[in-house]
Structure formats: structure tokens, C-alpha cells
Amino acid sequence: MNGAIELPGEAEPLNNQNLFRVLTNAASFNQQQVKTGAQQLQNWEKQPGFYSSLQTIFIDTSLPVEVRYLSAIQLKNGIDKYWRKTSSNAIKKDEKIVIRSRCLEAGINEPDHRLALQNALVVAKVVRFEYPNEWPEAIPSIIDSLRQSQTSPRSSSHLQRSLIMLLYVIKELSTGKLLRTKANLQSVAPEILQVLGGLYVTRVNTWRTFLSSGGDDEGGALEAIEQSLLALRVLRRLVIAGYDFPNRYNEMAEFWNVVGSHLDFMLSLVMQEQSSLHSNVQRLIERHLVQFSKLHLNMVQDHPAGFALLPSSINLARAYWALIKQFGQTFGLHSFDQASRVRAHGDADDDYSPMMETMTLKGLLLLRGCARMVFNPAQTFKYQQASDKQEKLMSRELMKADLLTDALAREMMETLVTRFFVFRPRDLREWEEEPEEWERREEGEGDVWEFSIRSCSEKLLLDLMINYKDLLVPPLLSVFQTVADPQNTDIALKDSIYAAIGLSAPILESRLDFGTFLSSTLSQEVQLQGPGYNILRRRIAIVLGQWLPVKEGLDRPLVYQIFQHLLDPDGNDQVVRVTAGRQLKNVIDPFEFTAEHFSPYAAKTITRLMILIKEVELTETKRALIDTLSVIVLKMERHIMDYADTIIQMLPPLWDAASEEYLLKQSILAILAALMTSLQSSSSKYHPLIIPLIHDSVEPTASTRVYLLEDALDLWSTLLDQTPSPSPELASLAPLLLPLYSTASETLRTALSLTESYILLIPSEILSSSTALLSALHPLLTSLKPRDTCHVTTLLELLIRLAVLTGGEPSIRSLTSAFLSTNILHTLLSSLQAAYEAHQTTGPNHTASPLDPIVEIDYLSILARLAVAGPALFLEALTAVAPTLGERFDTTINWLLTEWFSHLDNIGHPDRKKLHVLALTALYSLAAPWILSRLQELMTAWTDIVTELIDEESGNDTMVIWDIESMKGEAETAKEERSRRVAYEDVVRRVDVKVAVREAVQGVLARLGREEFEKWVENVDRDVMEAFGRLGVV
């Protein structure tokens, strides 16, 4: 540090000298200075004047470039964070004025291109926030600069800087989501188009004249090409973002015609066989052509009606098709003798042209956009007015009648299949040199097809086959019949035709006898060896993966035999085997799969698949193959048991080798879950291997937790579902559940479900540590949404039920004590108290209950469980809680019973209602005055529940289950069996309500004596008494 003492960040006053020094430190190569400088800049960023000071440093051209560059970056980031008025520590208005007043001139006069680019980004961001309200002169000033630069003799750099600023301003405004931002750009678009369009045409004419007539100003011509290219980049974005309906503007039609004519003449320049253009000039002209293709494609995608109705667009689309056909002449291999020469002489792509490939790709995308106008108008057009709808109809008719004719559709199909489905020399070279990477690219999912000519061609062919099936299917099948012969050795054509047949499987399913093709042709061709047959074997795997999901009744054992052969490393290279491994998933997955048909081939197939998983290096490839293995495991169900040891032993080393490849670890957890599901009760033997993986994935301090938690919880849940008896390893995971209660909602639901599984699996252990569990669950009662609270209340009920079943009165006493010590009982009663008080209000003073009605029933259900389990113990607990509510026990029990009885009619499900009636009946059996005084309400409840549940013929309670096996479902898991047994022992299922009421009444009668008993009965309304008496309960 050369003896310098760095002051703490807060001690540094903000001034230009200090700012320059700090920026110098932050831009140095000394890590300590960089760290100190970055910290000081962060400390200053909220101080007034910081960003205008950064700009002062930036516009001082005498300072080092790296310092100015860093100041521009800081300024740009600060505008993002603090320019909005609503931002905390927003930049003050006076400072904004200073920044705005200097940034345009600074950008125009900046000599360094990199710094000019950063300033352009600053200008663009400020314009987005300020134009036109606070900075109305911003865009007009840039336009004026463009005008002046065209006439000034020393304007070259000024013009380029103005164009760069305008480019980024339009980019920024075009990305705005607010309608106001878009409207601001559209309001100035016509003027910009006029000025910039004129500049573009002038510059093109300048260099075009030089190329045709010659001259001395070669540098001026080269400069004109660069300027016209930059102007075209700006115009491309302007006409797309600046016009909602470009076809309605004369200036757009004029510009569109200019672009079309320039496309023709520039193509003619670069397509000359003996071009005299300098390589740099050729490159710049080719970049013009790429901009044209982007403009045309953007117009089709963003303004389909505009494209169709602008002048000469049909001819333009035809021109692209002509270009595509021309490029197709040299695109791929036409024989595998040519492929052999490629391997012998190295690079054979001598005629490869990035520009032509880009133009061809854009052309294919453009034609697909045209097809979507006709066949998918609802997803293509956006309209609001009647005139918009009319333009949509005109566009569709124009495209269908003038462009997408039957003749063109057939020509497109033939060209796509025979020219663009074939492999290029570099494909075969990359196949050999980087097989795994090449296979991954070819298998690319999502929107990668937009960047590949072959993939885009496949998409376009499928569009054509779907919409011209009657026209295109016969010629395709005709060609197919000529090549679908093992004796036909034209591998290039065969691969292309088979590719088309595979893509068209849903269309051809009823028109092609694929079963015969499979048995007579594919089964033989898959065994052939020789140059190019590896390509055919790869294609066979793909075709089978495309047809098996859509065609029923095929010879599946033959298909499995073919895939077993394709996975054999003896005779198949890695690309063929990996492709077969991927496609096997599509073959196994359909509903028609049966384990019995696959079993004879399972051993070799699974073994070869696992060998391949170990062999490949790319994570994405490993994941795909593991996914295939997962599907096999799930579909084989119990039949997978013979191979479980082999699969399981492979996974832990694969896990260790994956290191931080979290996606691969997710796949490993997924296949383990599938395997445990298939093995069912036999899964327990693998707990010692699997549980450490779960522990490492869910442990709160684990770095992998954020990536693996969801999959690890799924696997954990599967283990608990399938294990028939607890293991020490599985029990050791239980404490890891408690930290999960503070996670996101979906994970929380899974964690609560796991908790339920543990309560069923090891009830005694869970109850012995119930205080910790209840403490973790308590916050959830008041923090969850009403629809989610039931997950917690269900667990609380289950704990009470298991306490009754496993430990009787001592266990329920211990659990009740835990309910008290963790304040759960207080929370339940205080919430019910608030609901009761709200329900007592009426009229203008009515207050809404703070407790959701469904949640209130759930809370009362917990109290009902406690009352049924031990009514006397329940009263003890209630007596203990009452003072915390600020009242005596008598007050608490009275409002609680009032609230409880008032909600009986709101309980819809019979078994829940029965539980509550049994709970109130249990309290009645105590013969206390506070419950005896409610005998009329009790009799009403008894009458209702007995009437609802008692079968008229047998006189039995329909809720009572006498045979536990009658509750058994199909394919019952171990957890479901445990749950069934607990449900069978539930008081709702074991106690006849009629008997319970009779015994309670008789018990109270015996305790009180008849005289005292009848005093309470006399207070019951005669009609209520008669209705109850007719039931014959007593």
C-alpha cells in the first residue's frame, strides 16, 4: 500500500479529487485497492452530487480511459437504481438537470468508441424515464445532430455517435412495458424515419456509386458502408417498435420498397462467383443482408398483417424461398462416399457461408410465420378494432392464395426433406470428434430449433404436413415406399425420408402400415453395418420413439429387442447408443407398456443403459439417461426388484462424482424415489444407502439445500410411504422436519405430510418429544392462510388419537400438558373467544369474526378430540387456560359451549359432526351444572345425529365399521395401511352414537338420582323431548 493509510469509507468526503482517486483504485489490478475503492463508491452512491460528479469525471477526456469507463458504468447503474422519483435516496431534481444537460454533447464529442457506447446507454436510460415530460428536447436534439452531421465537413464521428445514441434510445423505449413509453416512441417515429431513411439511402448511394463507377475516395466509400449499416440497424428497430400498423403509413411503404430493392442488389453483389469485392467490404455488405433478414422476420412475427399488406411482401417471401433452395444445393451430403472423403481430408465445408446460412434460417422462420398467419391466426394476429379484423382476413387470404399455394407447399416439402434433413460434412466430423456434444445439440429442446436450419426445417415440414395432409401425404409415402427397403443403400436419402416419416407420425398413423415396416424393414436395417449405417441406426431409434406413443398394436417385444441391440457398445458408437437411451423413454412410457413383455429384455437393456450413464460426461446427457431409467423402474413396478441392487449400487458413486452438478443430483433423487415406489416394502434394505443422501440435501446448513430440497422431500416421502416398519436411520431424519416449517408453502405442505407419516410410523417416539414438535407447529396456526391451516390442525388431531391408542390416560395427560406449555391451547381458545365476541354483535355494531368459519370448526375439532379422550382432563386444561384469557373457568366454559352448539349445524360431513356430538356427550357425562343447563341443545343435537346416522332397518350406526379389511384400498402402501388401522380405531368408527348417548344419559341419571335428573329434564321444550323420545335411545 506504499505506506498509505486508507480511511474508513464514511470518513472520505465526496469531491472530484477524492472520487478520481477512488475510481483509480477501483480500476486498478491490486485486489485490495479494488475492494477498498468499490466499498467507498458504494458508500457514496446515496450522497447528493455523486452521480453528477461521476459524469464530470467521465466527460473529462484528459483522464485515463479506464477511470472514465468505470465512472460511466457507475453512472449507468446508478440511473437504474435511483433515477425514479419513487426510489429510496432518489437522485435530486437539480442533479438530474445537470446530468441531462451534458450527456448528449458528451456522447457526440466522445473520441473513444467504447466510452461513446456507455454514454449512449446512459442517454437511453434517462430518455426512458424523462422523455417527453422532463426532457422534451432529448430526441429532437439527437435528430438535429443527425441533420447537422450530414452537412458538416468534419462530421463522420459525430454522425456515428448520434446514430449509436439513437440506436440505444430506440432499443430502450421499445422494451418498455407501459403504453406511455411505447406511445412516446411512436410519436417521433415518422420524423426519425424521414431523417434517418434519407441518410441511409444517401450513404448507400455513395458506396454503390463508388463500387460501380470507381473513384479516388475509397476511404469515404468504406465509411459510407459502415454508416449505412449503422443507420439500418437503427431503422430495423424503429419500424418494428415505432409503428403498430406499418402498412397504413406511406413512408413505411416507401421504406419497404427501398429495402426490397437493396436486398436484391446487395445479394447480387455477394453472390457473384468471381467477386471483386474486398473482404472487408464483402463482410459489411453481408451484414446489411443479415439486417434485412432480421427486419423481414421481425415484421412477420410482430406485425403479421403489416408484413402481408406492405407492398411486394409476397414477392419478398418467394425471393427468400428461392434463396433457401439455392443454399440447399450445397447444404448437406448426398452420398456417404462424400462422407468418407470428409473423414479422409478433414474440413470439407469450403463453401460454407455464415451469411447464407443466417439468411436461409431467417427465411425458413419467415415462411413458417407466413404459414402461421394462415393456419394459426388466433395465436398470430392481435386486433382490437373492426379495421384490424378486416386486415387480418385480407392477410390470411393473400398469403393463402398468392404464396402458400399447393404447388409451393409440395415444392417446400420436397426441398426440406431432400436438402435440409441431410447431414452436412461438419455434422459427421463433429459426430466423430465430439459425439456427446453433437448429440446434445441435435436433441436440443425448447426454442433451440430457431437457431438450427435442420431443426427449423423439421418444424416447417410438420406445419405443412398438418395443414396440407391430403396433398403431401401421398407423395411422401410414394417416396418412402421406394427407399424403405434393406437393399436400398442410399443412406442420405433414407435418413431424410425416415426423419419425415417420424415427424409425421401423428398424421400418418392411420395411413402407413408401420407394423409391417417395423418387422420387414427396420428390424433388418438396424443390424446392417457399413459406411453411414450408424446414421440409419440413430434414425431408427428416433423414429421408434416418435411412433410408439401414437401407434397401438405394434410388436413391442421386437421394439425392445431393437433397442437392446442399439444400446450394445459392440457395433454402435456413442451417438447411436445415447440417442437410443433417450428415445427408449418414449417407447417405455406409453400406457400400452407391460412389464411382462419387457422383462426378457430388461437385464441387458438396464445393464447397457447403466454402462452408458457411467461412460458419458455431460451432465445433461446423464440426466436424460437417468430419466429413461426412472421410467423403466416405475413401469416395471415389482418386476424391477431383480435389478434394484445393481441400480442402487451405481447411484451413490454417481452422486459423489456429481459434486455441484445439482441438476444431476436431482435426477438421482428422482430415480431413487421411483425405485422405492416400485420396490414397496422391500425398499427398507436400502435405507442405509439412501438416507445419507436425503440428510445431505435437507440439512439446514447444507449448501445444496436450495437446489435439492424438493426432490429430496419427494424421496423422503416415498420412503415413509413404503417402509413397513421403522428403521433407526429413517427415525434419525425426523428432527430435520422442524426447520422446514418456516419454508415456502409448497415445501411446507410436504413437510407437514412427512410429519403425519412419522406420527403414524413412530407414534411413541413422536409423542415423547411432542413439546418440540408443538412449539414448531404453533406459529403456523396463526400465520397460514385459512385454506392451509387444516394441514396443521389435522396433525394436532392425529397426535391426540395416537396418544389415546398408544399410551392411554398417561399419554393423553402428557400431550395435554404439552398443548398447555406451548400455548397452543391458549391460541385455540383465544381465537374462539374473539369469534364468539364478534358473533354477539348485531346491527350497526356488527363485527366480522376474525376466525374463518372452516378454521373455527377445525379448532373446535381439536377440543372435541381432547374432550372425547378425557373429559375430566379437558376441564383441567380449560381451567388452566381461563386466567390467561382474563376470566374465570365458568365464563370460559359458558361462552365456549354457546359457540360450539351454534356451529353444529355448520358441520357438513357426518363423521365430523358425530365427533363433536360425542365430545359434548362426554362432557355431559360429567353431570356438571354448566352442561346440564344445556340439555335442550344436547337433545336437539342427539336427535339430529341419530336421525342422520342410524340405519332404519338394522338400527346400527352407519359410521361404525366392523371389518377393518373393508377399508382397504387397491395397491395400498405401508403408510396407507397404518393410516387405515388408525382410522379403524377412531372413536367415530368404533362407537355407536346411539349407545354412547344412552350410556351417558343413564350415567348422569345414576349420578344425580331420578328426582334431581328430572329437574333438569323439566327445562327441556316438550317438542324437543318428544322428538328425542321417538328415537328410542333411552
Side-chain angles (χ1 to χ4, degrees), residues 215-232:
D216 299 328
D217 191 7
E218 183 177 345
L222 186 60
E223 186 176 83
I225 298 180
E226 293 173 344
Q227 291 171 352
S228 66
L229 176 61
L230 185 53
L232 182 57

Side-chain angles (χ1 to χ4, degrees), residues 35-322:
K35 183 178 179 181
T36 304
Q39 181 59 52
Q40 180 58 66
L41 290 172
Q42 186 176 351
N43 293 335
W44 276 337
E45 68 179 14
K46 297 180 182 179
Q47 285 196 26
F50 174 59
Y51 292 104
S52 58
S53 298
L54 283 172
Q55 190 185 41
T56 300
I57 299 291
F58 168 71
I59 64 178
D60 189 344
T61 56
S62 66
L63 299 179
V65 170
E66 60 272 13
V67 174
R68 298 176 61 214
Y69 189 84
L70 181 57
S71 69
I73 295 292
Q74 291 287 322
L75 176 59
K76 180 185 67 176
N77 293 341
I79 290 172
D80 270 336
K81 291 171 66 176
Y82 300 115
W83 197 275
R84 291 180 180 86
K85 295 177 182 178
T86 55
S87 303
S88 58
N89 302 292
I91 299 173
K92 298 294 186 290
K93 184 174 182 179
D94 292 345
E95 189 173 2
K96 290 181 180 180
I97 293 173
V98 172
I99 293 171
R100 291 199 307 259
S101 67
R102 300 188 294 188
C103 58
L104 291 180
E105 184 178 355
I108 292 171
N109 295 318
E110 176 56 55
D112 186 280
H113 176 72
R114 293 181 307 151
L115 295 176
L117 179 60
Q118 291 303 317
N119 187 79
L121 291 169
V122 168
V123 171
K125 291 182 181 298
V126 175
V127 167
R128 180 168 179 173
F129 291 126
E130 303 282 271
Y131 180 82
N133 296 332
E134 302 295 332
W135 198 15
E137 70 274 14
I139 294 178
S141 296
I142 299 175
I143 296 173
D144 289 342
S145 177
L146 287 176
R147 288 194 177 102
Q148 295 169 13
S149 298
Q150 293 184 65
T151 57
S152 175
R154 301 179 62 186
S155 62
S156 174
S157 65
H158 289 182
L159 175 59
Q160 189 158 6
R161 301 297 184 253
S162 299
L163 286 171
I164 289 174
M165 279 195 290
L166 186 57
L167 173 64
Y168 283 98
V169 165
I170 292 174
K171 272 188 174 182
E172 190 71 29
L173 293 178
S174 65
T175 59
K177 303 298 183 185
L178 298 177
L179 292 176
R180 175 178 54 82
T181 305
K182 189 175 182 181
N184 291 339
L185 176 59
Q186 292 176 349
S187 66
V188 294
E191 184 180 3
I192 297 176
L193 180 59
Q194 180 187 10
V195 175
L196 196 55
L199 185 150
Y200 163 75
V201 171
T202 300
R203 292 302 185 267
V204 170
N205 289 339
T206 298
W207 62 261
R208 184 177 186 178
T209 301
F210 178 83
L211 292 179
S212 61
S213 306
D216 299 328
D217 191 7
E218 183 177 345
L222 186 60
E223 186 176 83
I225 298 180
E226 293 173 344
Q227 291 171 352
S228 66
L229 176 61
L230 185 53
L232 182 57
R233 290 175 60 196
V234 181
L235 286 165
R236 175 171 71 84
R237 289 171 173 82
L238 175 70
V239 299
I240 298 301
Y243 293 87
D244 270 341
F245 303 97
N247 55 292
R248 300 178 186 177
Y249 296 85
N250 293 331
E251 67 267 24
M252 268 302 307
E254 184 180 350
F255 173 71
W256 195 251
N257 283 328
V258 169
V259 168
S261 65
H262 285 186
L263 173 68
D264 292 339
F265 104 79
M266 290 188 202
L267 267 177
S268 66
L269 286 176
V270 300
M271 299 290 284
Q272 295 174 3
E273 291 188 11
Q274 301 295 328
S275 176
S276 60
L277 296 175
H278 186 276
S279 59
N280 191 34
V281 174
Q282 173 105 1
R283 178 181 58 82
L284 288 170
I285 295 176
E286 288 179 350
R287 289 178 65 188
H288 279 75
L289 291 168
V290 171
Q291 289 297 316
F292 291 147
S293 66
K294 289 180 178 180
L295 168 62
H296 295 142
L297 178 59
N298 292 154
M299 189 65 75
V300 167
Q301 293 172 336
D302 294 355
H303 306 294
F307 176 86
L309 299 177
L310 280 167
S312 303
S313 289
I314 300 297
N315 291 334
L316 181 67
R318 290 180 184 140
Y320 273 103
W321 176 242

Side-chain angles (χ1 to χ4, degrees), residues 663-788:
L663 293 176
L664 179 56
K665 287 187 172 182
Q666 289 174 0
S667 295
I668 293 172
L669 292 172
I671 190 175
L672 284 171
L675 196 56
M676 296 305 101
T677 299
S678 295
L679 291 176
Q680 298 177 6
S681 60
S682 303
S683 61
S684 299
K685 62 182 287 192
Y686 300 110
H687 286 186
L689 281 172
I690 296 173
I691 287 174
L693 305 185
I694 297 176
H695 182 277
D696 292 347
S697 302
V698 304
E699 208 274 325
T701 60
S703 60
T704 59
R705 189 172 186 260
V706 65
Y707 307 102
L708 303 179
L709 182 59
E710 183 177 347
D711 294 279
L713 291 181
D714 287 343
L715 174 57
W716 192 357
S717 178
T718 302
L719 290 184
L720 289 169
D721 286 349
Q722 303 298 341
T723 189
S725 58
S727 65
E729 296 87 359
L730 197 54
S732 70
L733 288 178
L736 294 176
L737 284 171
L738 304 189
L740 295 174
Y741 297 160
S742 60
T743 56
S745 58
E746 288 302 321
T747 302
L748 175 60
R749 289 192 187 96
T750 307
L752 294 175
S753 175
L754 287 168
T755 305
E756 179 189 26
S757 299
Y758 270 107
I759 294 172
L760 293 169
L761 181 66
I762 49 173
S764 298
E765 291 85 342
I766 296 297
L767 287 168
S768 66
S769 58
S770 59
T771 301
L773 174 60
L774 294 175
S775 296
L777 290 173
H778 180 220
L780 300 179
L781 281 173
T782 53
S783 63
L784 292 180
K785 294 179 179 179
R787 68 172 183 269
D788 295 324

Side-chain angles (χ1 to χ4, degrees), residues 518 544 547-563 584-594 597-598 601:
L518 169 64
L544 290 174
W547 271 85
L548 266 291
V550 301
K551 184 70 173 179
E552 295 181 357
L554 296 176
D555 187 349
R556 283 185 166 271
L558 176 59
V559 174
Y560 303 144
Q561 189 176 351
I562 289 174
F563 273 89
L584 182 58
K585 177 181 177 181
N586 298 328
V587 170
I588 298 292
D589 206 25
F591 181 77
E592 198 177 356
F593 174 89
T594 61
H597 285 159
F598 184 69
Y601 312 97

Side-chain angles (χ1 to χ4, degrees), residues 1013-1027:
F1013 179 80
E1014 288 183 352
K1015 287 181 181 178
W1016 292 104
V1017 173
E1018 288 175 357
N1019 295 324
V1020 178
D1021 182 86
R1022 181 181 299 276
D1023 291 340
V1024 173
M1025 178 67 74
E1026 290 178 354

